[in-house]
Amino acid sequence: MNRDDAEGQDIEAIPLSQEKIWLRIDHDFRDRTDKAYFFYSLNGTTWTPIGDTLQMAYDMPDFCGQRYMLFNFATQQTGGIVDFDWFNVGE
């Protein structure tokens, strides 16, 4: 398992023609499965899987768990903005 992706590989890219998208991550912690599944939506109701399933690793002594982040990564020129309206963690 590659735990530190220094290569920065794109797993999947979706061309967008709109400014608003929704992102979702579902987790499976049953019986120590510890997997995360990623989805996107163009309307907030219909969800499409994207990317690979993440096999999460819980180890000591460094950190027990995973962290997620959202960010803007400019590829054509320096600058730009991204506006995340909310981030929700639920059951």
Side-chain angles (χ1 to χ4, degrees):
M1 174 174 61
N2 185 358
R3 295 178 55 205
D4 189 15
D5 185 10
E7 298 296 318
Q9 297 174 342
D10 288 337
I11 302 300
E12 188 170 348
I14 305 298
L16 297 174
S17 60
Q18 63 190 55
E19 291 187 10
K20 188 173 187 176
I21 64 166
W22 289 258
L23 303 172
R24 183 176 97 195
I25 305 171
D26 288 346
H27 301 93
D28 184 356
F29 297 111
R30 295 170 295 175
D31 300 321
R32 297 186 182 200
T33 301
D34 301 335
K35 293 188 183 298
Y37 306 92
F38 300 88
F39 301 86
Y40 76 96
S41 175
L42 301 177
N43 60 18
T45 56
T46 304
W47 295 94
T48 303
I50 187 171
D52 292 338
T53 299
L54 173 65
Q55 179 62 62
M56 295 181 282
Y58 293 90
D59 60 351
M60 294 296 273
D62 298 328
F63 179 73
C64 294
Q66 302 289 316
R67 299 178 183 133
Y68 299 107
M69 68 179 121
L70 301 170
F71 58 92
N72 176 37
F73 182 74
T75 60
Q76 301 296 316
Q77 62 186 26
T78 302
I81 64 166
V82 63
D83 180 15
F84 300 109
D85 289 336
W86 55 271
F87 186 90
N88 182 37
V89 177
E91 292 184 35

